Amino acid sequence: MDSGIVEGKDDRIRSLMNVSTKLRRIAKLAKDRPETAFTTLAHHIDLEFLREAYRRTRKDGAPGVDRVSGREYARDLERNLEALLNAFKSGRYRAPPVRRVHIPKGDGRTRPLGIPAFEDKILQRAVTMVVEAIYEEDFVDGSYGFRPKRSAHDALEALRKGIMEMRGGWVIDADITGYFDNIDHGKLREILDQRVRDGVLRRAIDKWLKAGVFEDGSVSYSDRGTPQGGVISPLLANIYLHEVLDTWFAEVVQPRMKGRAFLVRYADDFLLTFERREDAERVFEVLPKRFAKYGLAIHPEKSHMVCFTRPALGSAGKGRSTGGAPPGTFDLLGFTHYWAKSRKGSWVVKRKTMAKRFRRGLQQIHEWCQAHRHTPLEEQWRTLTQKLRGHFAYYGITGNYTSISRFHWFAKRIWKRSLDRRSQRGYLPWAKFKRLLVRFPLPVARCYHSTIPCSETWARGAGCGSSARPDL
């Protein structure tokens, strides 16, 4: 092996260890001093730190307003990083506006997406690494979104376990109106003052908040919202809701409840679950007032309280304390949660793909097949394989095998209908399509996230990890 390659690899490992040591020291200080505001943090960000931030930054993203790509920036990486570090430490760094583009949503509308400059992403990554080390010691267990070693599936499993242990209850399913666009900058600065007062870091954060948005040839500014598409945006949003919701719920709400209660939050999606109805009603009434104090609004039509009490044993699905009505359902992170009987006959919380997400996923496959009908078969197969694997990797959880196998079934038929139209006869016989699937097999539906050992689930025939192909 080339000695230069070995030395380069050793340098990267050494650099990573040095940066990790710095972050562990910051985290330990934050844990030991939960009430302390840190005033000296910027000295941790040096050239070695920026190199690590660069390595953690995605290189193939679209360029920002300066039109400099990751590949172009890397041509003179050391000099660029040195200039960036000097500008950051001296206060001369100027945050460029974020380039805004619009991407289509499944319902015909568009979603605005911000694209920062590549150099901006590197510096935001470096500052995020430092600030995150502090707040990771403060964040509550019920917070899962955009945090290291935590995922949407962790949040879903925590919710399921909490409800099962509580044997059901009352769920507040609240929606924050335009959360990321309505974070009050003044309130955010007050919240950051409690833990981060380093002048260099705070000056950079303020510049990102004021950077503005470039769209249609002009730049617009706002005193609300986090940097669109910015690396630091999810962390700032988490810090804001940590103060608005998480600590309030843990320190004020829970001690006043007559029954058990818990919170599960992933970014701005959250659910509050209560053992007793009167507790849920009290919190549901005061929740809009709490959010209004920080310039946020709870959507009156999309927010509601759901009776999710466990049905009585031996019943046909009627919940306890519901007046004979069956328990309701609620949605979180793309899944509909509902009560159902297990194979042993006991009531358990199950999850299935939300109908809206199911339809949207199939619509995307349909539109892609229509647009690429005359693309070579191997390329079509490769892309469809990626789409199906991505769907199964997220929605393939215990109890959802029926939904993902149906998705697989419909996706095959969408592909066949697309191939029908490119056939000269206007129809592709099923026998020929089955032979094509032998040549280009689509991935089978399987559960990637199981709460039951796969061997046990296989014995029950639930399809977790199953390699059995659904009928063609």
Side-chain angles (χ1 to χ4, degrees), residues 327-340:
T329 64
F330 61 87
D331 299 327
L332 180 68
L333 300 176
F335 291 90
T336 297
H337 296 67
Y338 63 101
W339 284 103

Side-chain angles (χ1 to χ4, degrees), residues 160-168 260 275:
R160 188 193 70 84
K161 285 184 176 179
I163 292 177
M164 290 289 291
E165 291 174 0
M166 193 183 287
R167 298 185 178 182
R260 290 174 291 177
E275 186 178 21

Side-chain angles (χ1 to χ4, degrees), residues 169-240:
W170 294 80
V171 176
I172 293 179
D173 183 1
D175 181 87
I176 309 174
T177 303
Y179 172 62
F180 290 93
D181 294 330
N182 288 292
I183 294 177
D184 186 281
H185 291 176
K187 293 288 186 181
L188 177 59
R189 293 186 183 98
E190 292 176 9
I191 294 171
L192 287 171
D193 282 341
Q194 299 173 21
R195 290 297 260 163
V196 179
R197 293 184 187 172
D198 179 278
V200 178
L201 263 64
R202 290 297 300 273
R203 187 160 54 239
I205 292 174
D206 280 346
K207 289 178 180 179
W208 289 320
L209 292 175
K210 298 175 182 177
V213 175
F214 179 81
E215 185 178 17
D216 297 331
S218 61
V219 180
S220 59
Y221 301 91
S222 175
D223 60 353
R224 307 181 75 84
T226 55
Q228 285 197 353
V231 175
I232 201 171
S233 180
L235 176 60
L236 295 178
N238 258 346
I239 292 171
Y240 202 75

Side-chain angles (χ1 to χ4, degrees), residues 168-464:
W170 294 80
V171 176
I172 293 179
D173 183 1
D175 181 87
I176 309 174
T177 303
Y179 172 62
F180 290 93
D181 294 330
N182 288 292
I183 294 177
D184 186 281
H185 291 176
K187 293 288 186 181
L188 177 59
R189 293 186 183 98
E190 292 176 9
I191 294 171
L192 287 171
D193 282 341
Q194 299 173 21
R195 290 297 260 163
V196 179
R197 293 184 187 172
D198 179 278
V200 178
L201 263 64
R202 290 297 300 273
R203 187 160 54 239
I205 292 174
D206 280 346
K207 289 178 180 179
W208 289 320
L209 292 175
K210 298 175 182 177
V213 175
F214 179 81
E215 185 178 17
D216 297 331
S218 61
V219 180
S220 59
Y221 301 91
S222 175
D223 60 353
R224 307 181 75 84
T226 55
Q228 285 197 353
V231 175
I232 201 171
S233 180
L235 176 60
L236 295 178
N238 258 346
I239 292 171
Y240 202 75
L241 269 187
H242 171 72
E243 176 69 22
V244 176
L245 179 64
D246 300 353
T247 56
W248 171 72
F249 187 80
E251 298 174 4
V252 179
V253 174
Q254 284 182 311
R256 289 172 168 79
M257 298 293 97
K258 296 180 180 179
R260 290 174 291 177
F262 70 92
L263 157 75
V264 172
R265 180 174 69 82
Y266 189 92
D268 61 328
D269 292 323
F270 70 92
L271 290 174
L272 308 177
T273 306
F274 302 85
E275 186 178 21
R276 301 170 68 104
R277 177 174 182 169
E278 55 265 37
D279 289 341
E281 290 175 340
R282 288 169 58 196
V283 175
F284 191 56
E285 182 180 356
V286 76
L287 198 63
K289 301 175 185 177
R290 172 67 183 181
F291 276 75
K293 182 179 177 182
Y294 290 85
L296 300 173
I298 297 295
H299 199 292
E301 297 177 1
K302 295 182 180 180
S303 304
H304 52 279
M305 193 171 70
V306 179
C307 172
F308 200 69
T309 54
R310 189 183 71 174
L313 291 176
S315 71
K318 296 179 179 179
R320 53 183 171 82
S321 305
T322 62
T329 64
F330 61 87
D331 299 327
L332 180 68
L333 300 176
F335 291 90
T336 297
H337 296 67
Y338 63 101
W339 284 103
K341 282 191 175 182
S342 68
R343 290 180 177 271
K344 293 183 178 180
S346 58
W347 289 102
V348 295
V349 176
K350 290 191 176 184
R351 290 80 54 92
K352 62 182 178 181
T353 309
M354 285 173 52
K356 182 179 178 181
R357 297 286 184 91
F358 190 92
R359 291 192 300 267
R360 186 171 71 185
L362 291 177
Q363 180 65 25
Q364 290 173 349
I365 290 179
H366 170 75
E367 291 174 356
W368 188 90
C369 286
Q370 292 291 94
H372 298 82
R373 183 183 303 141
H374 298 288
T375 301
L377 280 177
E378 185 172 353
E379 186 175 335
Q380 290 190 39
W381 166 75
R382 190 178 296 112
T383 301
L384 288 173
T385 296
Q386 293 174 348
K387 291 180 180 295
L388 287 174
R389 282 179 178 164
H391 185 89
F392 299 154
Y394 184 78
Y395 292 102
I397 66 173
T398 300
N400 196 36
Y401 181 73
T402 299
S403 290
I404 61 175
S405 61
R406 285 181 61 241
F407 191 91
H408 178 272
W409 189 89
F410 280 112
K412 284 189 304 185
R413 277 146 183 79
I414 290 172
W415 192 23
K416 181 186 180 300
R417 284 199 298 268
S418 175
L419 296 179
D420 282 346
R421 295 193 175 185
R422 92 177 207 165
S423 172
Q424 292 182 352
R425 294 188 300 173
Y427 175 74
L428 177 66
W430 269 103
K432 188 172 181 179
F433 182 64
K434 288 181 180 181
R435 289 196 299 271
L436 183 145
L437 288 176
V438 172
R439 229 180 111 198
F440 299 109
L442 294 176
V444 297
R446 57 171 297 193
C447 297
Y448 288 84
H449 309 276
S450 177
T451 57
I452 306 172
C454 284
S455 58
E456 181 181 349
T457 315
W458 175 273
R460 295 179 182 180
C464 171

Side-chain angles (χ1 to χ4, degrees), residues 28-44:
K28 187 177 185 307
L29 284 173
K31 184 177 181 179
D32 295 341
R33 304 175 185 177
E35 305 298 328
T36 299
F38 291 82
T39 57
T40 55
L41 292 169
H43 66 280
H44 292 291

